Amino acid sequence: MTETLEHPVTVSDRAAKRIARIVANEPEGTALRVSVEGGGCSGLQYKYDLVTEREDDDLVIEKNGIAVLIDSVSLQYMTGSEIDFVDDLIGQSFQITNPNAVAGCGCGTSFTI
């Protein structure tokens, strides 16, 4: 699956810059895979991995020279979301604003649909 003009998930400029810094020292073609799996305080949680292989059903979001991959199962939970990177007094982290989540945890990585 490739990205279209109407992106089911977006990546902020801040997130793209941070991903570029992370993959700069990784092998050529490394991408950030974002997935949803069972677990966490609220029932579902986001998982972040650096990968060099893409699956046939991946949504590929390319922005400013980086790639973010989301598998089709995770995409059903993430449609309409924005992946951002936040650097504040509490710390640095990727944060996902997900309009499908009805509840979340203070950790920012766990949610309920």
Side-chain angles (χ1 to χ4, degrees), residues 1-12:
M1 185 182 304
T2 59
E3 78 178 305
T4 62
L5 291 177
E6 299 215 9
H7 307 294
V9 177
T10 58
V11 176
S12 72

Side-chain angles (χ1 to χ4, degrees), residues 1-2 8-9 33-37 54-61 68-80 100 113:
M1 185 182 304
T2 59
V9 177
R33 176 174 296 284
V34 180
S35 56
V36 174
E37 57 185 31
R54 297 177 183 192
E55 302 298 328
D56 291 338
D57 69 341
D58 282 342
L59 169 69
V60 180
I61 305 166
V68 175
L69 310 176
I70 302 172
D71 64 88
S72 61
V73 174
S74 298
L75 183 60
Q76 65 184 331
Y77 298 107
M78 294 181 63
T79 297
N100 305 301
I113 293 199

Side-chain angles (χ1 to χ4, degrees), residues 10-61:
T10 58
V11 176
S12 72
D13 289 336
R14 288 186 301 230
K17 287 178 188 175
R18 181 62 175 177
I19 295 165
R21 287 181 55 202
I22 291 169
V23 301
N25 296 321
E26 298 294 328
E28 183 73 26
T30 298
L32 178 69
R33 176 174 296 284
V34 180
S35 56
V36 174
E37 57 185 31
C41 308
S42 298
L44 296 170
Q45 63 187 358
Y46 298 110
K47 182 178 176 189
Y48 303 91
D49 293 299
L50 295 177
V51 298
T52 55
E53 295 185 16
R54 297 177 183 192
E55 302 298 328
D56 291 338
D57 69 341
D58 282 342
L59 169 69
V60 180
I61 305 166

Side-chain angles (χ1 to χ4, degrees), residues 68-99:
V68 175
L69 310 176
I70 302 172
D71 64 88
S72 61
V73 174
S74 298
L75 183 60
Q76 65 184 331
Y77 298 107
M78 294 181 63
T79 297
S81 296
E82 179 184 47
I83 301 169
D84 194 12
F85 183 76
V86 177
D87 183 0
D88 57 22
L89 291 174
I90 297 173
Q92 299 177 344
S93 65
F94 286 103
Q95 294 189 2
I96 298 177
T97 303
N98 187 338

